[in-house]
Amino acid sequence: MTDLAVMAAGIKLENPLILASGILDENGYTMRRVLQEGAAAVVTKSIGTAERPGYKTPVVVDLPDGNLLNAVGLSNPGIKDFGGEIRIALEANKPVIGSIFGSSPEEYGELAHSMQLYGAAAVELNLSCPHVNGTGLEMGSDPEMVEAIVNAVKNRVSIPVLAKLSPNVSNMLEIAYSCSKANSIVVINTIKGMAIDINARKPVLSNYYGGLSGKAVKYVGLRYVYEIKKETGFDVIGVGGISNAEDVVEYMMAGASAVQIGTAVGRYGRGIFSAISHDLALLAERLKVDRISDLKGAAL
Amino acid sequence: MTDLAVMAAGIKLENPLILASGILDENGYTMRRVLQEGAAAVVTKSIGTAERPGYKTPVVVDLPDGNLLNAVGLSNPGIKDFGGEIRIALEANKPVIGSIFGSSPEEYGELAHSMQLYGAAAVELNLSCPHVNGTGLEMGSDPEMVEAIVNAVKNRVSIPVLAKLSPNVSNMLEIAYSCSKANSIVVINTIKGMAIDINARKPVLSNYYGGLSGKAVKYVGLRYVYEIKKETGFDVIGVGGISNAEDVVEYMMAGASAVQIGTAVGRYGRGIFSAISHDLALLAERLKVDRISDLKGAAL
Amino acid sequence: MSHSAVEVLWSRNESPTVKTLAFKWDQEVLPGQFVMVWTPGIGEIPMSLSSLGEIKTITVKDFGPPSAAIISTNPGNKLYIRGPYGNHFTRTDGKKLVIGAGSGMASLAPLVDKNTYGIISAREKSEIILTGNFDQGKVMVTTDDGSMGFKGNTIEALKVFDAKVDMIYVCGPEKMLFAVYNYLKDRGIRAEFSLERSMKCGIGICDSCSIDGFQLCRDGPVFSIDQLGSMKEFGVSRLTYSGKRIQM
Amino acid sequence: MSHSAVEVLWSRNESPTVKTLAFKWDQEVLPGQFVMVWTPGIGEIPMSLSSLGEIKTITVKDFGPPSAAIISTNPGNKLYIRGPYGNHFTRTDGKKLVIGAGSGMASLAPLVDKNTYGIISAREKSEIILTGNFDQGKVMVTTDDGSMGFKGNTIEALKVFDAKVDMIYVCGPEKMLFAVYNYLKDRGIRAEFSLERSMKCGIGICDSCSIDGFQLCRDGPVFSIDQLGSMKEFGVSRLTYSGKRIQM
Ligand SMILES: Cc1cc2nc3c(=O)[nH]c(=O)nc-3n(C[C@H](O)[C@H](O)[C@H](O)COP(=O)(O)OP(=O)(O)OC[C@H]3O[C@@H](n4cnc5c(N)ncnc54)[C@H](O)[C@@H]3O)c2cc1C
Ligand SMILES: Cc1cc2nc3c(=O)[nH]c(=O)nc-3n(C[C@H](O)[C@H](O)[C@H](O)COP(=O)(O)OP(=O)(O)OC[C@H]3O[C@@H](n4cnc5c(N)ncnc54)[C@H](O)[C@@H]3O)c2cc1C
Ligand SMILES: Cc1cc2nc3c(=O)[nH]c(=O)nc-3n(C[C@H](O)[C@H](O)[C@H](O)COP(=O)(O)O)c2cc1C
Ligand SMILES: Cc1cc2nc3c(=O)[nH]c(=O)nc-3n(C[C@H](O)[C@H](O)[C@H](O)COP(=O)(O)O)c2cc1C
Ligand code: FES
Ligand code: FES
């Protein structure tokens, strides 16, 4: 039987499959269930300092072919009220990675510190939300700011730090280099996009613009994983459009140490984690490797 | 019967459907046939000063769900040997738009001048090819360079000038503003991506990286058309993922004066132009407009 | 095209604050399933279908801006809907009881047949809706203020309801569901409950509708009495629109 | 997964420069259709299938690096293929003649049955392939240097070939096709020609394979004699890999 265990960002995972931030991860009971049903780890919804309702509905557009557009708008209860959810999630005895967003290095540092106190196994810096002003992508496209945030967080916490980057930039590689102190780089967040309803003659999302995710963005994610791994050699976690075992292997061959799954969880249900684990073991046999981690970087 | 005629970049088109650059447009006979079979205009393959073989095969990856990855690598015979192809295409008596790429404002100016001499109805500046160094995106992500190129070309030719921009940038709006002298902005070119074959354990494209096009990029294209139209008010031509009449209407409602179709021509054949024209007339009736151009900007 | 544009054929006031709107939608829908109804510029909210024939209806209570906008859609104008979503009530031929409070009656309405009894509750008379769906004498009404029917709450009505039934269907505010659940849990009667939560996506992505790790929009909104028995959040707490946990 | 990975089962030399490779591929393919064969790191080129049963074959001439790489794939190793692409020869039960030159015989091979005559040409003896597919006495060989069969070219062979046939299938260098076309065009015989062009995409996108606005990879590679009659590029000019027009 194939060994599915991997090391990613210095964390040992029982399989390479992590729940991506923003999908089924604002309620502690849901995270607990996703872990119990087969995810190796979960990343929480991105949490900020203060409570935010996010945007009005519609906040998602269900697109054809396994794609999705969303502008949830970083709704979250605020860090103070999130400890309880993490506590519930931790009952599954698997790593919970706390995702955070802020508007200054200090704020990221504070949020990360709270996540560490809550028992998070690592902290993921959302430097890439494409549809909220004053955070996310706005900070994440400036390499100096990114470096300042990563360093501030590294100084504040002892748990691994993951930097989640955006594909909506001209200079991804430069930004990746500015994360040299991070334990891993997570790519990609969603690609900025929009959907229009021709009967209503209106953009569908209440925020007009949102982020594209799902099957189609896999090819963009693969490119970033490959390019960043090849050029920087940093640990990279792949995310974007993964919905089956082949996709996972493609990302691992491109250099990812583990992957995150978002949109496909909505599409195929929480059972996708155990289903992919099962298929991954068979696929590894077909590819004649004993350990899934042997495939890491095979296409580099 | 609905009036499908539109004005785009100052050119009168019998319908809003233009063949996009790089698809079935290096051979004059092909362009002539595409025009005869229903396209209102064609954009030629991007032509440079010197002959270029482009990349070795594989130069395309046929992806699921109507998507495509390509790295043709700007193969072209060189401007001197392209006049004959345009002459053949012009036998269809419809506008032929000459696409060009260069590495300096002067070179773009020269190329544009040749296109004008060949009888092109307009020139389209490829400022956005994502997979060739020293041209395209490399120049197209620098607003000052874009402005210099647009202005150099405007000074050299009297035909309309279209600036085709890339989605692989942090600052699309700034770049769009730098094209204020252009007659129209064309968005989007492909999104940088990659595909990996898990059996071969290799990137499929000989160039590794390529550009993603097809159905999935529609949502990214719509966003750029909408945002550029809304913020700058410039004439915008939409391209990306269009494969049916609904897609055309979505782009027009987002503010496009006309659209270009690429990948779907391969998917559905050259007949797609007349098929969409037919459906477009019916759809306009259903939407209760007499002229398709009445839908322009309806969702803004 | 993300939503289906359906034309409102007619509408009917059920009470001063509740209105039924009818439209043609060529789509099979099962009792208990819901649609997301979008009013451009205002918002999108989940709505059960209150009849499932070729002509379908939703029955909407005027609550906040999204529901008010739906209610004000006049015949001839369009509703923008997507779905149907969610699981559904298990139909049975036997004798059944539906217990509905407030707009909760909407999702129960398609279940009502000759063999169905009803307990309908509300705060006061004007909020009692859809009693006409039941056969004469098969429906019991309760109001908090006694302005119509029986003065009291659902549980008190349930206590005096003595007919043996094969299945009980319940929909309404969670407080009421929880009370009914507690009353029924050791009585060995089959029962299904349709729950409500904030619902942002409707497609199992956003987690806003979850209860004990189950997504109301996919795994629910209908849960059996046994499923509810194992839930720690049922009747106890839920997340707000921003994701903050509040007590019920 | 962009390509199917198929294992080479066996290979066989047809001539010093031509090799047939066999693999199992569970895919229906019609005579005249082709696949794109990718050798990672080297390139991808179109190849006709030279037999179409459960075990399929390609018959490859050693030409440049891509074809040489395919030829050197040993049994047990993988070929990476996609397809099948293109249209196909119209099968007929009647008497037929196939005219093949060089590796052009590969795409004609699946058409050969008891009722088929052949004219096979090449520069010299060692380049003559696949004669064994024909019934004894039904194949005529010509070489430029007379080292095998008849000394001369296809047209000369055609002139002495006197059997009446219902259909002629032709594949080989365009010069030969053009000569055959000119010979046959006023003779009122049904004939189909399989053409070759540079092929980069195989899926009707890149224009590198086009002739008179038709894409060989979609509308072809097989064209009837009538279709060829209206083509201005046939036998006259084509585009190189870079897109430059050159005379044939
Ligand atoms: C499965 C299901 C079926 C339902 N069926 C029916 C039915 O048949 N009939 C019926 O009347 N009701 C039904 N409801 C309830 C209905 O969906 C609404 O929740 C209820 O009508 C509240 O009304 P409102 O949205 O107008 O009010 P509000 O209280 O104004 O708002 C609730 C909605 O507004 C938005 N919102 C809330 N807070 C914020 C914020 N801070 N920032 C931005 N946006 C916010 C969200 O879209 C939210 O869903 C159902 C609910 C569910 C879950
Ligand atoms: C429909 C069809 C069916 C065919 N069937 C067969 C068959 O059954 N058997 C057979 O032997 N042949 C067949 N061919 C011909 C075959 O595809 C090759 O074209 C031929 O083998 C040339 O060999 P090569 O590619 O190795 O040689 P080369 O001359 O080295 O190269 C041709 C190929 O190399 C690449 N290339 C060429 N020039 C450049 C450049 N400047 N820069 C980068 N890359 C370049 C391209 O991939 C091109 O296709 C067929 C062709 C077609 C169109
Ligand atoms: C509804 C939704 C909400 C998201 N919210 C967040 C978020 O809060 N923080 C974050 O870093 N990424 C967020 N993302 C991005 C995902 O984590 C992921 O990067 C992206 O969706 C690509 O992966 P996928 O194709 O598997 O969904 C969100 C994505 C979706 C679809
Ligand atoms: C095979 C291929 C080649 C292309 N070559 C060019 C090119 O030479 N110049 C250019 O400006 N755009 C080129 N493009 C981009 C298209 O013109 C278009 O912007 C993009 O494909 C999105 O549209 P689509 O989804 O309809 O294909 C090419 C696209 C494809 C698929
Ligand atoms: S409404 Fe989003 S998960 Fe149910
Ligand atoms: S090979 Fe590209 S169009 Fe035919």
Side-chain angles (χ1 to χ4, degrees), chain A residues 24 60, chain C residues 34 36 197-210 214-218:
Chain A
L24 298 190
V60 301
Chain C
F34 65 95
M36 298 295 288
R197 281 287 184 281
S198 171
M199 262 190 196
K200 293 187 177 181
C201 76
I203 53 172
I205 282 281
C206 74
D207 207 24
S208 72
C209 71
S210 299
F214 295 107
Q215 284 66 61
L216 235 73
C217 63
R218 275 186 78 114

Side-chain angles (χ1 to χ4, degrees), chain A residues 73-132:
Chain A
L74 295 175
S75 68
N76 81 98
I79 190 75
K80 273 205 300 295
D81 280 305
F82 200 64
E85 306 307 322
I86 292 196
R87 203 173 320 113
I88 297 166
L90 284 172
E91 290 169 11
N93 285 314
K94 292 190 187 179
V96 173
I97 299 167
S99 172
I100 56 176
F101 70 93
S103 53
S104 69
E106 298 67 38
E107 192 181 0
Y108 274 95
E110 274 316 304
L111 289 163
H113 186 66
S114 299
M115 285 293 187
Q116 175 168 321
L117 291 179
Y118 293 156
V123 66
E124 182 177 284
L125 314 179
N126 181 348
L127 299 163
S128 43
C129 178
H131 52 256
V132 175

Side-chain angles (χ1 to χ4, degrees), chain C:
Chain C
M1 238 173 319
S2 58
H3 293 74
S4 300
V6 296
E7 189 181 319
V8 175
L9 300 176
W10 50 259
S11 64
R12 179 176 65 212
N13 290 325
E14 303 290 353
S15 83
T17 59
V18 177
K19 200 163 177 175
T20 293
L21 296 96
F23 51 89
K24 222 179 122 194
W25 190 38
D26 190 16
Q27 180 79 44
E28 206 202 336
V29 183
L30 297 167
Q33 287 193 300
F34 65 95
V35 291
M36 298 295 288
V37 186
W38 172 40
T39 308
I42 312 286
E44 189 189 40
I45 53 174
M47 280 289 145
S48 307
L49 289 167
S50 52
S51 51
L52 310 178
E54 209 195 332
I55 305 293
K56 298 191 169 55
T57 60
I58 52 176
T59 300
V60 190
K61 185 170 161 68
D62 188 347
F63 205 88
S67 49
I70 297 169
I71 284 187
S72 66
T73 309
N74 289 319
N77 289 335
K78 298 250 154 74
L79 292 175
Y80 300 93
I81 62 177
R82 59 185 174 99
Y85 295 123
N87 70 352
H88 57 90
F89 290 112
T90 314
R91 278 195 194 272
T92 167
D93 288 336
K95 204 184 269 185
K96 354 174 217 302
L97 168 64
V98 305
I99 303 177
S103 61
M105 263 311 294
S107 77
L108 297 169
L111 293 163
V112 178
D113 62 12
K114 300 266 158 219
N115 216 354
T116 307
Y117 293 83
I119 295 177
I120 303 188
S121 331
R123 257 167 312 181
E124 51 109 28
K125 182 179 174 174
S126 74
E127 290 176 5
I128 293 292
I129 58 167
L130 300 173
T131 52
N133 288 33
F134 296 88
D135 267 15
Q136 192 78 27
K138 287 204 169 137
V139 63
M140 198 168 176
V141 168
T142 79
T143 48
D144 294 351
D145 64 358
S147 56
M148 184 176 173
F150 196 47
K151 175 174 163 130
N153 64 28
T154 308
I155 302 302
E156 291 167 55
L158 204 47
K159 284 178 183 160
V160 302
F161 180 83
D162 58 358
K164 282 262 169 297
V165 295
D166 299 299
M167 174 69 107
I168 301 180
Y169 304 106
V170 197
C171 187
E174 196 153 319
K175 270 209 159 87
M176 181 275 268
L177 300 193
F178 194 58
V180 172
Y181 164 79
N182 279 318
Y183 178 81
L184 291 178
K185 70 177 171 194
D186 300 318
R187 285 187 159 73
I189 308 174
R190 275 175 79 199
E192 292 181 343
F193 296 71
S194 178
L195 272 58
E196 275 194 25
R197 281 287 184 281
S198 171
M199 262 190 196
K200 293 187 177 181
C201 76
I203 53 172
I205 282 281
C206 74
D207 207 24
S208 72
C209 71
S210 299
I211 180 163
D212 275 74
F214 295 107
Q215 284 66 61
L216 235 73
C217 63
R218 275 186 78 114
D219 306 308
V222 177
F223 295 97
S224 71
I225 192 163
D226 297 336
Q227 288 174 303
L228 292 180
S230 68
M231 290 188 182
K232 299 210 168 133
E233 291 187 87
F234 176 55
V236 176
S237 69
R238 63 175 185 87
L239 302 193
T240 64
Y241 194 83
S242 69
K244 188 165 178 162
R245 187 171 295 279
I246 54 169
Q247 302 309 306
M248 283 289 174

Side-chain angles (χ1 to χ4, degrees), chain D residues 213-224:
Chain D
F214 295 107
Q215 284 66 61
L216 236 71
C217 63
R218 277 185 76 115
D219 304 310
V222 178
F223 295 96
S224 71

Side-chain angles (χ1 to χ4, degrees), chain D residues 105-204:
Chain D
M105 263 313 293
S107 78
L108 297 168
L111 293 163
V112 178
D113 62 13
K114 302 264 157 222
N115 217 353
T116 307
Y117 292 82
I119 296 176
I120 304 189
S121 332
R123 257 167 313 179
E124 50 108 30
K125 181 177 175 177
S126 74
E127 289 176 7
I128 293 291
I129 58 167
L130 300 174
T131 51
N133 289 32
F134 296 87
D135 268 13
Q136 191 78 28
K138 287 205 168 138
V139 63
M140 197 167 177
V141 168
T142 80
T143 50
D144 293 352
D145 63 359
S147 55
M148 185 175 172
F150 198 47
K151 174 171 164 132
N153 64 27
T154 309
I155 303 302
E156 292 167 54
L158 204 46
K159 282 180 183 158
V160 301
F161 180 85
D162 59 355
K164 280 263 170 298
V165 295
D166 300 301
M167 174 71 106
I168 301 180
Y169 304 105
V170 198
C171 186
E174 196 154 319
K175 270 209 159 89
M176 181 275 270
L177 301 193
F178 193 58
V180 172
Y181 164 80
N182 279 319
Y183 179 80
L184 291 179
K185 69 176 172 198
D186 300 318
R187 285 187 158 73
I189 309 173
R190 275 174 79 199
E192 291 181 346
F193 296 71
S194 179
L195 272 59
E196 275 194 25
R197 281 287 185 279
S198 171
M199 261 190 198
K200 294 186 177 182
C201 76
I203 53 172

